[in-house]
């Protein structure tokens, strides 16, 4: 996702997959990949994610417990909103995006737009 480095994205994937808050050690144990980062590296990444507003944390004893500030879907929608707002030409961005969607994605968008139209028609 925009604004996230490779390890930050992996850490967010771990947090989004969890149903409960995680400590640094919990995140470290669940990370997968070619290399195992150090505990302090994961701690620093989580601190950066907190500073950037991607995660919230609460202290339990001596350790912080981390949770995503938004769901993966909310984060994706927020990034799309940022792209549209900063593009200078949201219409062109949306048209290019619309040309790239799959048939399934088209049906989802059509359903959402139809739902919004029906909502707007109600008195």
């Amino acid at each position: 996702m925009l604004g996230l480095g490779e390890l930050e994205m992996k850490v967010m994937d771990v947090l989004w997959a969890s149903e409960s808050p995680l400590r640094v050690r919990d995140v470290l144990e669940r990370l997968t990949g070619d290399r195992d980062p150090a505990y302090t590296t994961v701690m620093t990444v989580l601190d950066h994610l907190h500073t950037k507003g991607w995660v919230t944390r609460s202290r339990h004893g001596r350790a912080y417990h981390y949770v995503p500030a938004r769901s993966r879907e909310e984060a994706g929608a927020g990034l799309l909103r940022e792209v549209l707002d900063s593009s200078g030409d949201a219409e062109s961005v949306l048209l290019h995006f619309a040309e790239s969607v799959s048939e399934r994605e088209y049906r989802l968008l059509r359903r959402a737009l139809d739902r919004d139209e029906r909502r707007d028609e109600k008195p």
Side-chain angles (χ1 to χ4, degrees), residues 37-104:
Y39 177 93
T40 54
T41 301
V42 175
M43 183 173 62
T44 299
V45 167
L46 283 163
D47 187 57
H48 288 170
L49 288 168
H50 178 257
T51 300
K52 291 179 178 182
W54 282 86
V55 301
T56 60
R57 65 185 181 193
S58 56
R59 188 179 284 275
H60 296 269
R62 293 177 42 196
Y64 282 115
H65 288 187
Y66 294 87
V67 295
R70 301 180 289 176
S71 71
R72 182 188 306 269
E73 295 77 15
E74 290 169 326
L79 290 171
L80 180 55
R81 177 82 268 150
E82 285 181 39
V83 168
L84 292 173
D85 290 346
S86 66
S87 71
D89 189 358
E91 181 179 355
S92 289
V93 172
L94 284 171
L95 290 174
H96 283 286
F97 176 74
E99 291 171 357
S100 73
V101 299
S102 68
E103 185 63 34
R104 179 181 173 278

Side-chain angles (χ1 to χ4, degrees), residues 9-29:
M9 192 65 226
K10 288 180 180 181
V11 167
M12 288 306 302
D13 286 340
V14 167
L15 292 171
W16 279 321
S18 177
E19 294 183 13
S20 59
L22 298 177
R23 301 169 301 158
V24 173
R25 182 152 319 281
D26 301 325
V27 173
L28 180 61
E29 290 171 356

